[in-house]
């Protein structure tokens, strides 16, 4: 064997030993990154669905209830519409 061949073999053995020592750490870090990315994805999907479900619930009023029997329901409906329009402006 020549000196160059012996040198290359020793370099390869040193590199193989270093890779064997560092592989478990690399695997653990890779697993942690995957877990973190999956957790963030689940949180984003859950947050997005909760956020959208709040706006998809219809908020319509089919009737108006009042303790005063002498006033028509249409009056209270128009009054509520006026108040809500004033507050949003």
């Amino acid at each position: 064997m020549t000196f160059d061949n012996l040198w290359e073999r020793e370099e390869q053995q040193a590199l193989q030993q270093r890779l064997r020592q560092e592989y478990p750490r690399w695997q653990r870090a890779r697993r942690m990154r995957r877990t973190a990315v999956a957790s963030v994805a689940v949180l984003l999907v859950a947050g997005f669905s909760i956020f959208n479900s709040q706006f998809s619930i219809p908020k319509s009023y089919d009737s108006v209830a009042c303790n005063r029997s002498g006033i028509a329901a249409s009056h209270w409906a128009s009054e509520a519409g006026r108040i809500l329009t004033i507050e949003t402006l």
Side-chain angles (χ1 to χ4, degrees):
M1 285 202 149
T2 64
F3 176 77
D4 291 335
N5 290 344
L6 288 173
W7 184 268
E8 284 179 24
R9 188 190 312 167
E10 287 299 319
E11 276 187 347
Q12 285 177 354
Q13 287 178 356
L15 287 173
Q16 287 174 353
Q17 183 180 2
R18 192 177 116 219
L19 286 174
R20 271 190 236 112
Q21 289 172 351
E22 292 180 3
Y23 184 69
R25 267 185 272 153
W26 175 80
Q27 249 185 345
R28 196 171 24 255
R30 184 177 180 200
R31 211 174 307 122
M32 291 287 284
R33 277 192 303 270
R34 282 184 179 173
T35 303
V37 168
S39 300
V40 168
V42 167
L43 287 174
L44 284 174
V45 167
F48 184 74
S49 64
I50 289 171
F51 183 73
N52 277 344
S53 69
Q54 289 178 351
F55 293 112
S56 65
I57 298 171
K59 295 180 174 82
S60 62
Y61 300 101
D62 296 333
S63 62
V64 176
C66 177
N67 290 339
R68 300 180 84 183
S69 61
I71 302 173
S74 61
H75 167 73
W76 293 114
S78 63
E79 193 65 27
R82 186 184 64 78
I83 291 170
L84 293 173
T85 305
I86 291 171
E87 287 181 6
T88 57
L89 293 176

